[in-house]
């Protein structure tokens, strides 16, 4: 009788044992979007997708390889040698549109984004944006190599805070001085790309969205220049293509003339 009771207890106990770590990792990997293998460095045994971090990562990461090294990153993720970066500040869920399945935070882009974006939802749709980010359906709008963060000549350079007064957000220093404008490049770039600082909303007047070409992914405001500009510019679109121009400006793809 004691033997039978012991056997029953043992069988019951097995139902309470957590699945092995690799089984959990495989289950998580099944819900994560790894993309394709179109990277030049695909199938080389290292993960080149900059969404990840860990011992299995390549030494140099490029935005061009986002979602383009699936086999490597999936295998390394399942082994526990890479993980999704956790440095993104998703904020809270105080947006009117929080928990509706779409990301309303204008710091992101991708197929999971809401059709209309507004700065008032910045850092305020955490659950939606985190879920979509982790499954690869959205990504942070990161600065291109042409975005001018300046140099590191500030006395406070490389201290983990952004001291450039052009920026705002939880990653900025408590005290900002005009003397540090364009002089804390490394800190500000890193914090900008992790979504913890952004250009001040009042730094540039982007106007409204009354242009007939608003929200088409190109900036039509002739005050700007850069790779994100429309091919034909007219004065009637001055201050009339705010969403497009703001997104491209923050991504470093256009700049004021």
């Amino acid at each position: 009788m004691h033997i039978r009771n012991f056997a029953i207890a043992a069988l019951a106990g097995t139902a309470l044992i957590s699945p092995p770590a690799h089984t959990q990792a495989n289950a998580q990997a099944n819900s994560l979007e790894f993309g394709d293998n179109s990277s030049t460095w695909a199938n080389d045994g290292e993960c080149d997708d900059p969404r990840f971090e860990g011992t299995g990562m390549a030494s140099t990461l490029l935005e061009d390889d986002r979602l383009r090294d699936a086999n490597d990153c999936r295998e390394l993720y399942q082994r526990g040698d890479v993980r999704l970066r956790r440095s993104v500040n998703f904020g809270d869920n105080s947006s009117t549109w929080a928990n509706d399945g779409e990301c309303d935070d204008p710091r992101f882009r991708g197929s999971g984004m809401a059709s209309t974006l507004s700065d008032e939802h910045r850092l305020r749709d955490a659950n939606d944006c985190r879920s979509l980010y982790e499954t690869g359906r959205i990504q942070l709008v990161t600065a291109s190599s042409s975005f001018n963060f300046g140099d590191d000549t500030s006395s406070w350079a490389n201290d983990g805070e952004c001291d450039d007064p052009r920026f705002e957000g939880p990653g900025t220093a408590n005290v900002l001085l005009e003397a540090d404008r364009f002089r804390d490049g490394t800190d500000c770039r890193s914090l900008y790309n992790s979504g913890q600082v952004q250009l001040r909303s009042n730094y540039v007047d982007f106007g409204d969205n009354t242009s007939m070409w608003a929200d088409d992914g190109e900036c039509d405001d002739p005050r700007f220049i850069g790779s994100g500009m429309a091919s034909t510019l007219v004065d009637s679109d001055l201050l009339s293509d705010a969403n497009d121009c703001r997104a491209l400006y923050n991504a470093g793809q256009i700049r004021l003339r």
Side-chain angles (χ1 to χ4, degrees):
M1 182 174 179
H2 291 296
I3 295 174
R4 188 173 69 177
N5 288 344
F6 176 80
I8 293 172
L11 287 171
T14 59
L16 301 177
I17 297 174
S18 298
H22 71 272
T23 302
Q24 296 181 43
N26 288 345
Q28 293 169 345
N30 288 337
S31 65
L32 184 61
E33 175 58 54
F34 287 93
D36 56 38
N37 293 289
S38 57
S39 168
T40 305
W41 312 109
N43 299 307
D44 67 350
E46 295 181 318
C47 177
D48 294 272
D49 187 329
R51 294 180 300 150
F52 296 89
E53 62 184 359
T55 57
M57 299 300 298
S59 56
T60 301
L61 301 177
L62 303 173
E63 278 300 309
D64 287 347
D65 290 320
R66 183 180 295 271
L67 288 163
R68 296 182 62 198
D69 192 16
N71 289 349
D72 287 331
C73 298
R74 180 183 294 108
E75 181 178 345
L76 290 160
Y77 183 88
Q78 290 173 337
R79 283 173 18 199
D81 291 335
V82 303
R83 60 188 178 276
L84 280 167
R85 292 183 180 274
R86 297 296 181 182
S87 59
V88 177
N89 178 15
F90 290 97
D92 57 38
N93 292 289
S94 58
S95 167
T96 307
W97 309 111
N99 299 307
D100 69 347
E102 295 181 316
C103 178
D104 294 272
D105 187 330
R107 296 177 303 147
F108 297 87
R109 64 184 176 191
S111 61
M113 297 301 297
S115 56
T116 302
L117 301 176
S118 169
D119 269 347
E120 67 180 287
H121 301 297
R122 186 183 295 271
L123 288 161
R124 297 182 60 197
D125 192 16
N127 288 349
D128 288 330
C129 299
R130 181 184 293 108
S131 175
L132 291 161
Y133 179 84
E134 291 182 350
T135 57
R137 293 184 57 200
I138 64 171
Q139 55 273 344
L140 272 167
V141 178
T142 55
S144 72
S145 59
S146 62
F147 191 96
N148 185 12
F149 284 93
D151 54 37
D152 292 307
T153 55
S154 168
S155 300
W156 312 109
N158 299 304
D159 66 350
E161 295 181 317
C162 177
D163 294 275
D164 187 328
R166 294 179 298 154
F167 297 88
E168 63 183 355
T172 55
N174 290 331
V175 178
L176 299 174
L177 304 174
E178 280 299 308
D180 289 320
R181 186 182 295 270
F182 289 98
R183 297 184 62 198
D184 193 16
T186 298
D187 285 333
C188 297
R189 179 184 296 276
S190 175
L191 290 160
Y192 182 94
N193 284 345
S194 67
Q196 298 191 57
V197 303
Q198 62 272 342
L199 282 165
R200 291 184 177 275
S201 56
N202 62 353
Y203 181 67
V204 177
D205 180 8
F206 290 97
D208 55 38
N209 292 289
T210 55
S211 168
M212 65 181 296
W213 309 111
D215 297 308
D216 68 349
E218 295 181 318
C219 177
D220 294 273
D221 188 328
R223 295 178 302 152
F224 298 88
I225 57 174
S227 61
M229 297 301 297
S231 56
T232 301
L233 302 175
V234 294
D235 282 343
S236 59
D237 287 323
L238 190 73
L239 288 164
S240 299
D241 192 16
N243 287 350
D244 287 331
C245 298
R246 181 184 294 109
L248 291 160
Y249 182 87
N250 286 347
Q253 295 182 43
I254 63 172
R255 62 185 186 278
L256 284 166
R257 291 180 182 273

